[in-house]
């Protein structure tokens, strides 16, 4: 099992909270350069100190953005979260369905081989 950082989700959360406000306004609020906000929204991985500033601004914990890769469907979660027009809640609902299907397939396969 390995962990990786979900930059797509961070980018989506930043874009969502920023809304229609300008990059400079949000950057000043966070305490970073506007180019840093632009890079995060484009999917660039931040330095730890920058991540701390962004997660504080989002009222989140940095641990919320780490994914444990323990199955083949983890990449689906990343892609769903990266979709700009899909809310985090909708992506989570899709993942619940995918996990249920995956679990059912595994159970059925185990029963067939027994």
């Amino acid at each position: 099992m390995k962990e990786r950082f979900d930059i797509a989700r961070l980018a989506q959360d930043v874009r969502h909270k920023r809304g229609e406000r300008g990059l400079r306004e949000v950057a000043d609020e966070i305490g970073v350069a506007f180019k840093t906000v632009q890079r995060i929204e484009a999917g660039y991985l931040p330095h730890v100190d920058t991540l701390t500033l962004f997660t504080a601004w989002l009222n989140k914990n940095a641990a919320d953005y780490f994914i444990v890769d323990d199955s083949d469907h983890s990449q689906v979660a990343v892609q769903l979260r990266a979709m700009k027009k899909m809310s985090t809640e909708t992506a989570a609902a899709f993942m619940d369905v995918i996990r249920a299907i995956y679990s059912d397939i595994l159970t059925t396969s185990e029963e067939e081989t027994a």
Side-chain angles (χ1 to χ4, degrees), residues 81-100:
R81 288 187 194 123
M83 296 175 132
K84 294 178 182 177
K85 293 187 178 186
M86 183 179 294
S87 71
T88 304
E89 294 79 13
T90 301
F94 269 114
M95 281 310 303
D96 288 343
V97 170
I98 290 167
R99 283 186 194 101

Side-chain angles (χ1 to χ4, degrees), residues 4-17 37-46 51 54 58 60 62 64-67 74-88 91:
R4 64 185 168 72
F5 189 77
D6 189 353
I7 186 60
R9 183 170 170 216
L10 176 64
Q12 178 183 356
D13 288 352
V14 170
R15 280 190 302 270
H16 182 262
K17 184 167 181 179
V37 177
Q38 193 173 42
R39 283 193 297 273
I40 296 294
E41 288 186 358
Y44 287 88
L45 194 63
L51 175 62
F54 275 87
L58 291 165
K60 301 250 184 172
D64 296 337
Y65 294 99
F66 284 89
I67 298 172
S74 62
Q75 286 299 316
V76 175
V78 172
Q79 295 302 317
L80 287 172
R81 288 187 194 123
M83 296 175 132
K84 294 178 182 177
K85 293 187 178 186
M86 183 179 294
S87 71
T88 304

